[in-house]
Amino acid sequence: MKVGFIGLGIMGGPMARHLHKAGFLAAVYNRTRAKAEPFGKLGVYVAESPADLAKRVDVVIEMVSDAPDVEQVLFGPGGVVEGARPGLVVVDMSTNSPDWARNFAERLAARGIDFLDAPVTGGQKGAEEGTLTVMVGGREDLFQRLLPVFKAFAKEVIYAGPVGYGQAMKLVNQVVIALNTIAMVEGLRLAEALGLDIDKVARLLTVGAARSGSIELYLPKLLKGDLSPGFKAAHLKKDLAYAMEIANRKSLSLPASALALELYKKMVEKGLGELGIHALGKAY
């Protein structure tokens, strides 16, 4: 199975390297060619466009920022569909929404192209260590066929259901991560105001009942003053906006999620969107 990878950023670059180690990676493409050139030195074909990449592979994985970027990669000038043949599988591993996933799937199906929505969680650390969790929506036979590909960079791979269910599950995950991050930031602010030893508080938050995966991941960086993004605040704001759009459409009250969206909007408005999600305290 020949895999092509589009989008070699914070997450995509490490994921593509794991695919290369597993023997799947046949081609890469990135808008900034400099990020693709190290793969060329490894013998991987560096494509001139998504269409050029699609001609050479059985599976196209794209890992870009948002739905408009996915649309451009797939259907824009020089996009995947221009180089695709019937039977190609497109896997969208970015985070957007169930509506977009179904939209992409329908448009690709009209051209004989299969589609899976397969967003990931685990951040930069998970991408580098090959321990991501993948949530997959689409036909189950396609999921089973691509399972070895996913396992090249993931510790857990969950079949969520039909097209769109991968994105739906990811939005649930993002709401919980956002609220965990708010809890961590506000807890630390209270601890500082009370004059507590922050290292001891950190120990409590990583061994007691309040612990969570996101706290264990981001608290050490926060204590070191490292606000660099394992996952950008602007991207979490985008994900929360998708979640709240669905909640509003369904008349579902999610007051804490609405608060999280407003806080991350403030981060972006203050020019802090390129920092990690754990830098939320900067917005207070």
Side-chain angles (χ1 to χ4, degrees):
M1 199 182 322
K2 295 180 180 178
V3 176
F5 204 103
I6 297 173
L8 302 170
I10 289 175
M11 301 289 290
M15 292 164 67
R17 286 194 288 275
H18 285 295
L19 286 171
H20 173 66
K21 289 176 186 175
F24 289 115
L25 192 65
V28 293
Y29 172 78
N30 196 76
R31 276 186 309 181
T32 306
R33 189 178 175 88
K35 290 184 179 179
E37 286 173 351
F39 289 92
K41 293 176 182 177
L42 296 173
V44 178
Y45 179 75
V46 178
E48 296 296 327
S49 67
D52 181 32
L53 177 140
K55 291 175 185 175
R56 301 166 184 273
V57 298
D58 308 304
V59 178
V60 174
I61 294 176
E62 40 84 6
M63 183 69 164
V64 293
S65 296
D66 199 356
D69 306 293
V70 178
E71 188 164 40
Q72 181 69 20
V73 163
L74 297 181
F75 305 105
V80 166
V81 295
E82 291 184 11
R85 63 187 183 282
L88 180 74
V89 181
V90 169
V91 183
D92 176 21
M93 304 199 81
S94 61
T95 302
N96 40 79
S97 74
D99 292 339
W100 274 112
R102 288 187 281 268
N103 177 292
F104 296 141
E106 288 171 9
R107 292 158 69 186
L108 291 170
R111 298 171 181 261
I113 302 168
D114 291 315
F115 178 83
L116 294 173
D117 55 296
V120 305
T121 188
Q124 182 180 10
K125 185 172 186 287
E128 290 174 349
E129 295 178 355
T131 57
L132 293 170
T133 297
V134 186
M135 298 142 275
V136 187
R139 289 202 337 256
E140 190 166 5
D141 64 306
L142 271 182
F143 164 76
Q144 293 294 343
R145 177 146 55 101
L146 267 68
L147 193 53
V149 173
F150 296 136
K151 285 187 173 180
F153 49 70
K155 184 178 180 181
E156 296 287 340
V157 187
I158 301 169
Y159 177 66
V163 166
Y165 276 52
Q167 295 293 357
M169 192 173 283
K170 177 63 184 286
L171 293 182
V172 171
N173 182 78
Q174 298 306 77
V175 163
V176 175
I177 283 178
L179 299 183
N180 276 336
T181 306
I182 292 171
M184 174 181 70
V185 168
E186 294 200 356
L188 289 177
R189 287 173 65 80
L190 179 60
E192 289 171 353
L194 292 170
L196 293 173
D197 183 320
I198 296 301
D199 289 332
K200 292 179 180 177
V201 172
R203 181 183 172 199
L204 168 68
L205 296 181
T206 53
V207 299
R211 71 187 185 278
S212 72
S214 55
I215 288 176
E216 289 171 2
L217 183 62
Y218 292 114
L219 184 54
K221 291 185 70 173
L222 194 58
L223 295 182
K224 289 188 291 186
D226 178 4
L227 303 182
S228 62
F231 183 57
K232 292 181 181 179
H235 291 171
L236 184 55
K237 174 248 179 187
K238 175 258 300 179
D239 298 346
L240 290 169
Y242 279 127
M244 290 309 300
E245 178 187 340
I246 293 168
N248 292 335
R249 194 191 314 155
K250 293 181 175 292
S251 299
L252 181 66
S253 176
L254 298 178
S257 301
L259 171 63
L261 176 56
E262 289 307 309
L263 289 171
Y264 279 100
K265 276 183 179 177
K266 287 182 180 177
M267 272 197 78
V268 173
E269 289 166 3
K270 290 176 179 288
L272 305 171
E274 296 299 301
L275 297 179
I277 64 171
H278 58 295
L280 180 63
K282 292 282 187 181
Y284 278 69

